Amino acid sequence: MAELKCLNNLAAVHIKLERCNDALETSSSVLELDPDNVKALFRKGKLLSDKGEFQEAMETLKKALKLEPSTKAIHIELSKLVKKQTGDNETPKWKPKPTQNQKPLTKKPSGIPWELLLAAIVVAVGSLVTSIILSARN
C-alpha cells in the first residue's frame, strides 16, 4: 500500500517537473501493482492523450470512469479527448518539454533519481502529517 502511494506521488512529481515519459512509466508501474488504481488510470490516460495516443488514452480513461463514474475530472478529460479526436483541438494546458535526461519510454529505468525520490517522500510525509493533525482535532 505504501509503495502505491509513493509511486503515485512520484508520478505527480514527474508531471510537475514536466517529465512526461517518466510520469507515464511510473503510472504504469502503479497499474502493474493495482490495475484498478483510478489516480494512475487518470494520469496515464491524460498523458497518453497529450502524446496523441488517443485510442489507448480513451480505453484507459473509460476504465477509470467505470471505476469512479462520479469523478468530474475524468469526464472533463474524456470530453477533451473526444474534441481532440474530432479535430476540434484546443491547446493543452500542459505540454511535455523534452529534456536531455529524459529516457525513451521503452527502456526500463536504471534507478530513480534521488531528487525525485526525496520529493515523493516529502509529499507522502506531508500527507501523513496532515492526516494525523486532522484526526487529532476530531
Side-chain angles (χ1 to χ4, degrees), residues 26-104:
T26 306
S27 295
S28 294
S29 295
V30 171
L31 293 170
E32 286 175 16
L33 296 170
D34 179 11
D36 293 337
N37 189 291
V38 177
K39 280 185 182 180
L41 286 167
F42 176 76
R43 286 185 180 126
K44 183 176 180 178
K46 181 168 178 15
L47 290 163
L48 289 168
S49 175
D50 289 347
K51 288 182 72 169
E53 297 178 27
F54 301 134
Q55 186 60 38
E56 190 177 352
M58 183 68 75
E59 291 168 13
T60 304
L61 289 169
K62 281 182 179 180
K63 182 174 181 180
L65 186 64
K66 186 176 181 181
L67 293 167
E68 283 191 18
S70 62
T71 304
K72 289 183 182 180
I74 299 170
H75 286 279
I76 291 168
E77 198 58 42
L78 275 167
S79 177
K80 287 180 186 177
L81 182 56
V82 169
K83 286 180 182 177
K84 286 180 185 179
Q85 285 182 311
T86 59
D88 186 17
N89 248 352
E90 63 182 53
T91 306
K93 292 179 186 175
W94 174 75
K95 283 188 176 180
K97 293 179 183 175
T99 64
Q100 290 177 336
N101 298 341
Q102 208 158 8
K103 300 171 190 161

Side-chain angles (χ1 to χ4, degrees), residues 6 9-10 13 114-128:
C6 286
N9 288 335
L10 183 58
V13 169
W114 70 269
E115 297 96 342
L116 295 176
L117 188 57
L118 179 62
I121 291 170
V122 167
V123 170
V125 170
S127 298
L128 179 63

